[in-house]
Amino acid sequence: MSDTTAQHPAHTDDPEYAANLRRATLASSVGSALEYFDFALYGLFSALIFGQLFFSNLPPEFAVVASLASFGVGFLARPLGGLFFGTLGDRLGRKWVLVVTIGLMGGATTLIGALPTYDQIGIWAPILLTVLRLAQGFGAGAEQAGATVLMAEYAPVKRRGFFSALPFIGIQLGTLLAGLVFSLMSLLPDEVFFGWAWRIPFLASFLLILVALFIRLRLRETPTFVELEKHDQISQRPIREIFTKGLPGVTVGVGLRMAENGGSYMFQTLALAFVAGNFLASPVDRGIAAWGVTIGALIAIFVLPLTGHLSDRFGRRIVYRTGAVLMLVYAFPAWWLLSLGDPVTVVAVIALGVGIAVNTMLGPQCAMLPELFGNRHRYLGVAMAREISAVLAGGLAGVLGAYLLAVSDGDWLLPAIYMATLALITTASTFLVPETRARDLLRLDDAVRVSRDESRSDAEIEAELQRA
């Protein structure tokens, strides 16, 4: 059977399709909000709080390193979760995997709020924290990949970039909520904050889990997966396919994510630890510094759909490359300005880094990653690209960056070089991937395996858009 056989998904003028598109957007957005509320909250607490709660037996600067290491450990579990759940997503469908992952991830986050501290049970406190962080990472390993695939497969072809970016506003809402909660809680007296109040946002995430589960249980399977079932094309060995046919797509996908994912966590965790810890002569108040993340998430709510729309108009690669180059240019002045320790400057630098530099890449990425892979192993391919890069970029960003700062006595130049290196890798990767805009998601072959003579011209892409 041909790679392009079967029918394209319905269009938005079909009332049933339009209703399912709205459900898919809501289901993806709520899950993204929960995941990034959990991760942003954990990132903020690991950078500024958990060192004192769970690693109080260490010197302050190395307590931060250990705390950020516990944050990074979650990334080690993400590829395993992506491999496990991604395989199920390609064999059983997108919907039920998303139901299971949201429960696992949210349950682990809730239990973190019930953990005793180091002063209460000693070494068992950081051990239990690490175990729950691993469980959180295992569930998150397929959560965002599933939301990405779900939305791309539901979205209309001509506006796939825009619609695929909409659920990722949930990421910004989750980050915004986490930053807002942390900033407000920082106003509490230290004895209250460190005594019991820090537990509240983790325990309260249980309410978000219930809402997400209710929405996802009402969701229908994606049109492209239904076509696989109809034509008996479901892969029984998606792992074998991804490591034989899909490896080029995974490799390029990892490269594309290095600056976006690594830069995001450097601004959201490492930068906060740098300005609010013992690295500066006059540290910035942790509550004020966290406002940078909050404002950055607010900016990203507008940047994401805009850059998704621009990728529909001008192509995924050019918009993505613009974001990568922007981060490359921004890295050195940003970290130098952070080293000055001026509170207003700190908030502005973090907000612009998170809101514009990172999300100019994330906008086109939402559609681009699913477009890189064929229909039989798309879920697994996106999961592997996202989660391997999450280990290499996001997972290392905090702990390696904190270590570099600790051994260099807070030299801002080292994290700047680190961020610029990530941006160079992503910039180079944008030259290795073909233009994927308007690619038929019913195709079974991967985009990166298309030879040069098969690459589509701009005229051919426009012709495909007219037919869609």
Side-chain angles (χ1 to χ4, degrees), residues 27-383:
S28 301
S29 300
V30 172
S32 297
L34 174 58
E35 179 186 351
Y36 276 80
F37 174 74
D38 291 348
F39 270 74
L41 192 68
Y42 195 104
L44 288 167
F45 276 70
S46 62
L48 302 171
I49 299 299
F50 280 171
Q52 299 176 60
L53 292 173
F54 293 97
F55 303 94
S56 56
N57 58 319
L58 298 175
E61 60 272 21
F62 285 99
V64 172
V65 174
S67 180
L68 289 173
S70 75
F71 179 69
V73 160
F75 289 92
L76 296 178
R78 290 181 67 148
L80 298 177
L83 187 66
F84 178 76
F85 289 116
T87 301
L88 294 180
D90 282 323
R91 293 183 62 182
L92 304 179
R94 323 309 192 199
K95 171 184 173 179
W96 290 107
V97 172
L98 286 171
V99 170
V100 173
T101 56
I102 199 74
L104 176 60
M105 184 181 64
T109 301
T110 301
L111 289 175
I112 288 173
L115 283 180
T117 65
Y118 187 92
D119 290 342
Q120 294 171 314
I121 60 170
I123 192 62
W124 282 105
I127 291 175
L128 291 174
L129 178 68
T130 302
V131 168
L132 290 177
R133 176 64 178 157
L134 286 168
Q136 189 187 54
F138 191 75
E143 164 63 32
Q144 201 58 59
T148 301
V149 170
L150 179 81
M151 204 59 237
E153 291 184 342
Y154 260 113
V157 176
K158 293 181 180 180
R159 304 189 68 197
R160 186 184 293 150
F162 173 76
F163 273 95
S164 295
L166 290 182
F168 285 75
I169 293 176
I171 292 176
Q172 311 312 321
L173 292 175
T175 304
L176 179 66
L177 180 59
L180 183 62
V181 166
F182 186 89
S183 296
L184 292 176
M185 291 183 67
S186 295
L187 301 176
L188 296 172
D190 280 355
E191 60 271 17
V192 176
F193 190 11
F194 286 91
W196 56 269
W198 70 269
R199 302 179 183 277
I200 295 175
F202 291 95
L203 295 173
S205 66
F206 181 71
L207 299 176
L208 285 175
I209 301 172
L210 295 179
V211 174
L213 285 174
F214 173 76
I215 295 172
R216 290 187 174 183
L217 286 171
R218 300 177 66 243
L219 186 65
R220 294 186 181 181
E221 192 51 79
T222 67
T224 54
F225 189 82
V226 170
E227 290 295 333
L228 281 179
E229 292 181 312
K230 184 186 300 183
H231 295 277
D232 197 25
Q233 293 177 323
I234 295 176
S235 175
Q236 298 304 310
R237 298 182 180 86
I239 294 178
R240 179 180 178 182
E241 284 193 14
I242 205 66
F243 284 106
T244 54
K245 300 177 181 179
L247 201 55
V250 172
T251 303
V252 172
V254 168
L256 290 170
R257 287 258 299 160
M258 294 300 282
E260 177 267 321
N261 189 251
S264 176
Y265 284 106
M266 287 187 75
F267 280 122
Q268 292 185 49
T269 61
L270 183 62
L272 296 182
F274 176 55
V275 300
N278 297 320
F279 299 110
L280 300 183
S282 300
V284 177
D285 179 81
R286 59 176 179 262
I288 294 176
W291 275 106
V293 177
T294 305
I295 297 173
L298 185 61
I299 294 172
I301 289 174
F302 302 96
V303 173
L304 264 171
L306 173 62
T307 52
H309 166 72
L310 291 175
S311 77
D312 283 328
R313 179 67 182 86
F314 301 105
R316 315 285 187 232
R317 289 186 302 178
I318 187 63
V319 179
Y320 210 122
R321 191 177 300 151
T322 299
V325 172
L326 178 60
M327 180 164 286
L328 176 62
V329 173
Y330 191 59
F332 289 95
W335 283 93
W336 173 71
L337 288 170
L338 289 174
S339 72
L340 301 180
D342 176 67
V344 175
T345 302
V346 164
V347 170
V349 167
I350 295 175
L352 292 175
V354 172
I356 297 179
V358 169
N359 285 280
T360 301
M361 291 178 279
L362 183 57
Q365 181 195 114
C366 300
M368 192 175 192
L369 283 186
E371 290 169 337
L372 290 178
F373 298 98
N375 200 14
R376 284 163 59 92
H377 54 253
R378 179 171 298 121
Y379 198 135
L380 183 57
V382 173

Side-chain angles (χ1 to χ4, degrees), residues 437 456-467:
R437 179 171 61 118
R456 301 171 302 157
S457 66
D458 289 342
E460 289 171 325
I461 293 174
E462 291 300 328
E464 290 182 28
L465 286 170
Q466 292 301 318
R467 292 193 298 269

